[in-house]
Amino acid sequence: MVISSVIFVRMKAELSLRDKIISLCRAIPFACLLLFVCVWFALGKVQCGPVFLSGVTLVFTLLGSLSVFRGHLLGAVSAVGKHSAGRNASTMYPEQRFAVPRNILLLILAAVYSYVALDILWNDAFFAVQFGFALMGIVALLIAYLFLYFLGQGTCVGVSLGVAFFTVIGIVQYFVVQYKASPILPSDVYALGTAAAVSSGYDLVFTKEVLWLLVACAVVLFLLEFLVPAVSRRRAKVASVVAVNTACALAVGGAALGFLNTVDLGDTFGTDNAIWQPLVSYKTQGFMPSFLTLVQQMRLSAPDGYTQDGAEQLENDYAAAYDSAQGEVAVMATAQFEEIRPTVIAIMNESFSDLSSMDGLGVGYQGPTYLKSLGDAALTGNLAVSVHGGGTANSEFEFLTGNSMSHLGVALYPYSVFNLSRVQSLPRQFAELGYKTTAVHPSWASNWNRDRAYVALGFDEFLDIDDFDGAEWFHAGVSDAATYDKVLELLREDDAPQFIFDLTMQNHGGYTVGDISPNLPLYDFPAVDASLDAQMNEYLACVERSDQALAAFIEELRALDRPVVVLFFGDHQPGISSAFNDAMYAGEDELTHAERIYTTTYAIWANYDIAGNDQISLRDDLSTNALGAKLMEIIGAPLTDYQKATLAVRSEVPAINSVGYRGVDGLWRNLAAEDRVPAVDDLEWLQYLNLGSKV
C-alpha cells in the first residue's frame, strides 16, 4: 500500500493536495484491518497457518492499493457510461453516470452482507431461517443504510462505518454465544464498560471463518468506494444539497423510529421474543428481527386496565391477608429482632449453582459439599432466577428491590435504564431501621452502572476493586475468601448493626482459563464433547472453592460474639450448563427445559437461635424477587406492604421469573398464557405500583 501510494502521488501530481490526501485516506480501513489481524496473529489469537494468513493480508494489501486508484477505476466506469449515453454524456459529471442505480445496488449489497455478517459465524440454523424473517432483517438494514447514506451526504463514509460496525457486532455475537450461550440484547449497549472489563476472562481466538468474514468486509468496503452523491455539487448548490440530504436522513430516521414505536413486530410479522431463551429466537429468526423485537420490549408500560387506586387496594388486600395469617411465631421473631438487631450479610455468589440437579451431570456429581450438608440453616432450597450465563445485575435488582423481571423481560437492565432513587429497596429499608449499609464487589465500580445504582438504592458505602489492593485472586478475580475477610473487617470496625451485600467475583466465566487444579475428580461427561468437559471441570472446581470459602466463613461467624444472619445464593448458572441441559434432556417441554438452567440455590443461616425457627434446614423453593422479603420475615424485621403482598401471593404463585411461573401443583407455566392464574396479573399490578410509577 505504501508503494502504490508513492506511485499515485507521482502520477497525479496535477491533483490538489486535498484530493491527494482524500485518495490516500481511502486505504486507511484496509491498513487497519491488516494491522489488526497481524497483531492478533502475533498474540497467538488467530487459528490458522501462515499460508492462509498470507492470503488474507495479500487481499487487504491489494484492496487498499486499488482504493488509492479509485479515481482511475471510476473513470473507467464513467467512460463506459459516456459511450452508452451518447452525445448528451458530455454534459454529465463523470461520477454521476449511472450513480442512482449503482448506489441502489451498493446499498442493497451492504444490507445483504450485513445480514449475513450478523448471523453466519454463530447461527448453525442460518440457512433454515424463513425467507420472510431474512427479508425483514435485510430491509431493516437497508433502511439503516439509507439513513447513513443521506447523513453522510451521499458519500461512502456513513455506509462504510455501518458495514464495519455490523461486522464487529457479528464477531462479538459469535464470542458471546460461544462463551455465554446467550445473544447480544438491546440493553447490553448500556453495559459496554462491563463487557470490556470482564472480556479478559475469555479466549477470543479468531478462526478461519472469522478471517473469511473480515475478507468479505474488506471487499464490500472497497466496492462502497464507488458510492457517490447522486447529484453533483456545484459550489453554488452545496448548501442546498447538504440541506436536502440532511432532511432526507431525518425523514428516514424519523419514519423508522415511528414505525418501531407504533407497529408491534410480534403481532404484525410473527416474530417471537422468547424471553426465557432469546438465543432460540435469534437462531430461528435472525439477529435483526429478534433484536428489534426485544427493543420493543424495553418500554415499561402499565398493565392492561391498570389504575393506581386499584393497585393500591390490591396491595392493601394482600397485606391484610398476610397479617391475618401471622401467629405467635411472627410475634416472637418481631420482638427478638427489636431486641438484638442482628447484622445481616447477604452474599450473592457469582455463577454459583448446584448442577448435581442435572442427574449428577451423568457422572454422579454430588454438588457443593458444605452447603448441601449445612444442617442448621433457617431455610434453604432452590432459587428461580431470571438470567442465565450472565446478567448478574438483574438478579441483584430482583433481590434488592423485590421486583421481578417476569414482567420486564430479558431485554432490559434496570440498573442501566431506571432511576431507582424512589424505589423500595433492602438497603433503604435497613437504613431506616438504623443500620449502616455497605455494598461489596471486588471489581470496577462502573460495571453495570453500580456506582450510581447503589447510591440510588440507598447504600451508605460501596467497596469496589480499589478496596482490595493485594487481595488473593482466584480464577476470574478477587477470591470469595478475600471478600469474606473484608466483611469480617467491617464487623470488627463497627459493633452497630449492619446490612452488608457482598457480590463475589471469582467464579465469573469463561471457563477456558486452565489455571485451576481442582480438589475433586476430573470428570469425563458422557453427554458432551471434550471441550465442554474441560470447561465444566473448571467451573465445578470454582464452585468447590466457593463452597470451601463459605464453610470457613460460617465457622468463623459461629464463634463471633454478636448476632449475625447470612443469606447465601447464586445469581445464575454458567452459560455452559445449557449445552448439558440440551444434551441430557432432549425432547421435553420448553418451560421445564428452560427452568432447569434458570435455577440456583440459596440458604439462610444465623449464628443465634432465631425465635420460632427450628433451624433444621427446612426447604422452600423461592424466586429471587421474594428472597429479600422471606429473609426479613424469618428474622422478624418489619415488612413493607409490598413485601407482605409478595409473600401472600406465593400461596397461588410460589415462584416466578422471566421464564414463567410455578403453580401450587409444582408445574411451570407460560407467563403469556391466556389461562394464567389471576395472581400473576396481580403481581404485575403490584410491581407497576411500586416500580413503574417511580422510575
Side-chain angles (χ1 to χ4, degrees), residues 7-31:
I7 296 173
F8 170 79
V9 172
R10 298 185 63 180
M11 287 178 61
K12 305 293 289 181
E14 71 276 7
L15 291 179
S16 68
L17 179 60
R18 173 181 175 276
D19 290 336
K20 291 178 181 178
I21 293 175
I22 291 175
S23 296
L24 290 174
C25 285
R26 295 183 185 279
I28 289 178
F30 308 99

mmCIF file of all heavy atoms in Angstrom, residues 7-31:
data_model
loop_
_atom_site.group_PDB
_atom_site.id
_atom_site.type_symbol
_atom_site.label_atom_id
_atom_site.label_comp_id
_atom_site.label_asym_id
_atom_site.label_seq_id
_atom_site.Cartn_x
_atom_site.Cartn_y
_atom_site.Cartn_z
ATOM 1 N N ILE A 7 3.523 5.831 -5.872
ATOM 2 C CA ILE A 7 3.284 5.900 -7.321
ATOM 3 C C ILE A 7 2.127 6.824 -7.631
ATOM 4 O O ILE A 7 2.170 7.619 -8.567
ATOM 5 C CB ILE A 7 3.006 4.489 -7.869
ATOM 6 C CG1 ILE A 7 4.245 3.598 -7.698
ATOM 7 C CG2 ILE A 7 2.587 4.534 -9.323
ATOM 8 C CD1 ILE A 7 4.012 2.154 -8.055
ATOM 9 N N PHE A 8 1.097 6.716 -6.788
ATOM 10 C CA PHE A 8 -0.084 7.551 -7.012
ATOM 11 C C PHE A 8 0.268 9.033 -6.928
ATOM 12 O O PHE A 8 -0.141 9.835 -7.765
ATOM 13 C CB PHE A 8 -1.147 7.203 -5.965
ATOM 14 C CG PHE A 8 -2.305 8.164 -5.952
ATOM 15 C CD1 PHE A 8 -3.310 8.077 -6.897
ATOM 16 C CD2 PHE A 8 -2.373 9.168 -4.994
ATOM 17 C CE1 PHE A 8 -4.373 8.968 -6.889
ATOM 18 C CE2 PHE A 8 -3.422 10.059 -4.986
ATOM 19 C CZ PHE A 8 -4.429 9.954 -5.926
ATOM 20 N N VAL A 9 1.032 9.402 -5.931
ATOM 21 C CA VAL A 9 1.393 10.812 -5.754
ATOM 22 C C VAL A 9 2.189 11.319 -6.949
ATOM 23 O O VAL A 9 1.999 12.439 -7.438
ATOM 24 C CB VAL A 9 2.186 11.008 -4.446
ATOM 25 C CG1 VAL A 9 2.736 12.427 -4.368
ATOM 26 C CG2 VAL A 9 1.288 10.719 -3.251
ATOM 27 N N ARG A 10 3.099 10.476 -7.483
ATOM 28 C CA ARG A 10 3.926 10.908 -8.608
ATOM 29 C C ARG A 10 3.111 10.976 -9.910
ATOM 30 O O ARG A 10 3.306 11.856 -10.734
ATOM 31 C CB ARG A 10 5.098 9.947 -8.775
ATOM 32 C CG ARG A 10 6.019 9.930 -7.556
ATOM 33 C CD ARG A 10 7.222 9.070 -7.784
ATOM 34 N NE ARG A 10 8.052 9.593 -8.871
ATOM 35 C CZ ARG A 10 9.188 9.005 -9.271
ATOM 36 N NH1 ARG A 10 9.612 7.907 -8.665
ATOM 37 N NH2 ARG A 10 9.888 9.523 -10.252
ATOM 38 N N MET A 11 2.182 10.036 -10.067
ATOM 39 C CA MET A 11 1.388 10.008 -11.288
ATOM 40 C C MET A 11 0.365 11.128 -11.315
ATOM 41 O O MET A 11 -0.012 11.614 -12.374
ATOM 42 C CB MET A 11 0.657 8.658 -11.413
ATOM 43 C CG MET A 11 1.561 7.488 -11.766
ATOM 44 S SD MET A 11 0.626 5.941 -11.829
ATOM 45 C CE MET A 11 -0.532 6.315 -13.139
ATOM 46 N N LYS A 12 -0.096 11.535 -10.178
ATOM 47 C CA LYS A 12 -1.177 12.510 -10.119
ATOM 48 C C LYS A 12 -0.700 13.825 -9.526
ATOM 49 O O LYS A 12 -1.341 14.412 -8.672
ATOM 50 C CB LYS A 12 -2.334 11.933 -9.284
ATOM 51 C CG LYS A 12 -2.850 10.577 -9.769
ATOM 52 C CD LYS A 12 -3.521 10.674 -11.135
ATOM 53 C CE LYS A 12 -4.827 11.381 -11.058
ATOM 54 N NZ LYS A 12 -5.537 11.475 -12.338
ATOM 55 N N ALA A 13 0.418 14.251 -9.987
ATOM 56 C CA ALA A 13 0.981 15.480 -9.441
ATOM 57 C C ALA A 13 0.088 16.671 -9.679
ATOM 58 O O ALA A 13 0.150 17.669 -8.968
ATOM 59 C CB ALA A 13 2.361 15.727 -10.054
ATOM 60 N N GLU A 14 -0.776 16.524 -10.741
ATOM 61 C CA GLU A 14 -1.632 17.662 -11.048
ATOM 62 C C GLU A 14 -2.784 17.805 -10.067
ATOM 63 O O GLU A 14 -3.469 18.830 -10.058
ATOM 64 C CB GLU A 14 -2.176 17.505 -12.476
ATOM 65 C CG GLU A 14 -3.218 16.397 -12.653
ATOM 66 C CD GLU A 14 -2.594 15.026 -12.857
ATOM 67 O OE1 GLU A 14 -1.348 14.934 -12.717
ATOM 68 O OE2 GLU A 14 -3.329 14.074 -13.153
ATOM 69 N N LEU A 15 -3.037 16.776 -9.247
ATOM 70 C CA LEU A 15 -4.132 16.872 -8.275
ATOM 71 C C LEU A 15 -3.778 17.843 -7.161
ATOM 72 O O LEU A 15 -2.608 18.032 -6.816
ATOM 73 C CB LEU A 15 -4.418 15.496 -7.664
ATOM 74 C CG LEU A 15 -5.040 14.445 -8.586
ATOM 75 C CD1 LEU A 15 -5.223 13.155 -7.806
ATOM 76 C CD2 LEU A 15 -6.367 14.919 -9.169
ATOM 77 N N SER A 16 -4.803 18.415 -6.581
ATOM 78 C CA SER A 16 -4.588 19.292 -5.428
ATOM 79 C C SER A 16 -4.163 18.462 -4.227
ATOM 80 O O SER A 16 -4.391 17.248 -4.171
ATOM 81 C CB SER A 16 -5.875 20.056 -5.106
ATOM 82 O OG SER A 16 -6.862 19.159 -4.630
ATOM 83 N N LEU A 17 -3.545 19.128 -3.262
ATOM 84 C CA LEU A 17 -3.129 18.435 -2.042
ATOM 85 C C LEU A 17 -4.320 17.798 -1.342
ATOM 86 O O LEU A 17 -4.235 16.683 -0.816
ATOM 87 C CB LEU A 17 -2.423 19.429 -1.115
ATOM 88 C CG LEU A 17 -1.951 18.864 0.232
ATOM 89 C CD1 LEU A 17 -0.952 17.735 0.019
ATOM 90 C CD2 LEU A 17 -1.353 19.984 1.087
ATOM 91 N N ARG A 18 -5.442 18.496 -1.351
ATOM 92 C CA ARG A 18 -6.649 17.971 -0.699
ATOM 93 C C ARG A 18 -7.086 16.666 -1.347
ATOM 94 O O ARG A 18 -7.394 15.681 -0.652
ATOM 95 C CB ARG A 18 -7.774 19.002 -0.787
ATOM 96 C CG ARG A 18 -9.138 18.516 -0.285
ATOM 97 C CD ARG A 18 -10.183 19.605 -0.430
ATOM 98 N NE ARG A 18 -11.488 19.124 -0.064
ATOM 99 C CZ ARG A 18 -12.303 18.461 -0.878
ATOM 100 N NH1 ARG A 18 -11.917 18.219 -2.131
ATOM 101 N NH2 ARG A 18 -13.490 18.057 -0.464
ATOM 102 N N ASP A 19 -7.083 16.619 -2.687
ATOM 103 C CA ASP A 19 -7.504 15.411 -3.388
ATOM 104 C C ASP A 19 -6.542 14.259 -3.132
ATOM 105 O O ASP A 19 -6.948 13.098 -3.013
ATOM 106 C CB ASP A 19 -7.616 15.681 -4.882
ATOM 107 C CG ASP A 19 -8.791 16.579 -5.219
ATOM 108 O OD1 ASP A 19 -9.740 16.618 -4.407
ATOM 109 O OD2 ASP A 19 -8.764 17.246 -6.273
ATOM 110 N N LYS A 20 -5.236 14.587 -3.037
ATOM 111 C CA LYS A 20 -4.261 13.542 -2.751
ATOM 112 C C LYS A 20 -4.489 12.940 -1.362
ATOM 113 O O LYS A 20 -4.453 11.723 -1.175
ATOM 114 C CB LYS A 20 -2.846 14.113 -2.830
ATOM 115 C CG LYS A 20 -2.395 14.491 -4.236
ATOM 116 C CD LYS A 20 -1.008 15.093 -4.186
ATOM 117 C CE LYS A 20 -0.533 15.519 -5.582
ATOM 118 N NZ LYS A 20 0.793 16.157 -5.547
ATOM 119 N N ILE A 21 -4.736 13.803 -0.387
ATOM 120 C CA ILE A 21 -4.950 13.329 0.987
ATOM 121 C C ILE A 21 -6.198 12.451 1.059
ATOM 122 O O ILE A 21 -6.200 11.384 1.688
ATOM 123 C CB ILE A 21 -5.062 14.519 1.953
ATOM 124 C CG1 ILE A 21 -3.712 15.241 2.052
ATOM 125 C CG2 ILE A 21 -5.520 14.046 3.331
ATOM 126 C CD1 ILE A 21 -3.755 16.508 2.884
ATOM 127 N N ILE A 22 -7.281 12.903 0.391
ATOM 128 C CA ILE A 22 -8.522 12.125 0.395
ATOM 129 C C ILE A 22 -8.299 10.752 -0.225
ATOM 130 O O ILE A 22 -8.761 9.730 0.292
ATOM 131 C CB ILE A 22 -9.637 12.886 -0.346
ATOM 132 C CG1 ILE A 22 -10.061 14.129 0.457
ATOM 133 C CG2 ILE A 22 -10.840 11.981 -0.587
ATOM 134 C CD1 ILE A 22 -11.065 15.006 -0.259
ATOM 135 N N SER A 23 -7.577 10.705 -1.355
ATOM 136 C CA SER A 23 -7.329 9.438 -2.030
ATOM 137 C C SER A 23 -6.506 8.495 -1.165
ATOM 138 O O SER A 23 -6.779 7.292 -1.084
ATOM 139 C CB SER A 23 -6.618 9.692 -3.363
ATOM 140 O OG SER A 23 -7.452 10.433 -4.237
ATOM 141 N N LEU A 24 -5.480 9.032 -0.511
ATOM 142 C CA LEU A 24 -4.655 8.192 0.365
ATOM 143 C C LEU A 24 -5.436 7.696 1.570
ATOM 144 O O LEU A 24 -5.228 6.576 2.052
ATOM 145 C CB LEU A 24 -3.425 8.975 0.817
ATOM 146 C CG LEU A 24 -2.376 9.254 -0.269
ATOM 147 C CD1 LEU A 24 -1.285 10.173 0.281
ATOM 148 C CD2 LEU A 24 -1.770 7.964 -0.791
ATOM 149 N N CYS A 25 -6.360 8.508 2.071
ATOM 150 C CA CYS A 25 -7.158 8.123 3.239
ATOM 151 C C CYS A 25 -8.063 6.936 2.936
ATOM 152 O O CYS A 25 -8.496 6.231 3.850
ATOM 153 C CB CYS A 25 -7.994 9.302 3.728
ATOM 154 S SG CYS A 25 -7.038 10.559 4.601
ATOM 155 N N ARG A 26 -8.348 6.716 1.653
ATOM 156 C CA ARG A 26 -9.206 5.599 1.294
ATOM 157 C C ARG A 26 -8.572 4.253 1.647
ATOM 158 O O ARG A 26 -9.272 3.243 1.798
ATOM 159 C CB ARG A 26 -9.531 5.643 -0.202
ATOM 160 C CG ARG A 26 -10.359 6.849 -0.612
ATOM 161 C CD ARG A 26 -10.724 6.798 -2.092
ATOM 162 N NE ARG A 26 -11.421 8.012 -2.497
ATOM 163 C CZ ARG A 26 -12.712 8.241 -2.292
ATOM 164 N NH1 ARG A 26 -13.450 7.318 -1.678
ATOM 165 N NH2 ARG A 26 -13.274 9.373 -2.697
ATOM 166 N N ALA A 27 -7.264 4.231 1.774
ATOM 167 C CA ALA A 27 -6.570 2.977 2.097
ATOM 168 C C ALA A 27 -6.524 2.698 3.595
ATOM 169 O O ALA A 27 -6.154 1.595 4.013
ATOM 170 C CB ALA A 27 -5.147 3.016 1.543
ATOM 171 N N ILE A 28 -6.904 3.681 4.411
ATOM 172 C CA ILE A 28 -6.780 3.535 5.869
ATOM 173 C C ILE A 28 -7.557 2.337 6.415
ATOM 174 O O ILE A 28 -7.018 1.570 7.231
ATOM 175 C CB ILE A 28 -7.197 4.843 6.573
ATOM 176 C CG1 ILE A 28 -6.150 5.921 6.321
ATOM 177 C CG2 ILE A 28 -7.380 4.615 8.074
ATOM 178 C CD1 ILE A 28 -6.492 7.276 6.932
ATOM 179 N N PRO A 29 -8.844 2.109 6.023
ATOM 180 C CA PRO A 29 -9.561 0.948 6.573
ATOM 181 C C PRO A 29 -8.847 -0.375 6.316
ATOM 182 O O PRO A 29 -8.806 -1.249 7.190
ATOM 183 C CB PRO A 29 -10.917 0.996 5.854
ATOM 184 C CG PRO A 29 -11.083 2.418 5.442
ATOM 185 C CD PRO A 29 -9.715 2.898 5.121
ATOM 186 N N PHE A 30 -8.258 -0.525 5.137
ATOM 187 C CA PHE A 30 -7.590 -1.774 4.792
ATOM 188 C C PHE A 30 -6.263 -1.906 5.545
ATOM 189 O O PHE A 30 -5.878 -3.011 5.944
ATOM 190 C CB PHE A 30 -7.372 -1.827 3.279
ATOM 191 C CG PHE A 30 -8.633 -1.575 2.506
ATOM 192 C CD1 PHE A 30 -8.903 -0.310 1.979
ATOM 193 C CD2 PHE A 30 -9.564 -2.579 2.330
ATOM 194 C CE1 PHE A 30 -10.065 -0.064 1.286
ATOM 195 C CE2 PHE A 30 -10.733 -2.342 1.637
ATOM 196 C CZ PHE A 30 -10.997 -1.077 1.111
ATOM 197 N N ALA A 31 -5.595 -0.781 5.753
ATOM 198 C CA ALA A 31 -4.366 -0.803 6.556
ATOM 199 C C ALA A 31 -4.684 -1.186 7.997
ATOM 200 O O ALA A 31 -3.936 -1.947 8.635
ATOM 201 C CB ALA A 31 -3.686 0.568 6.502
#
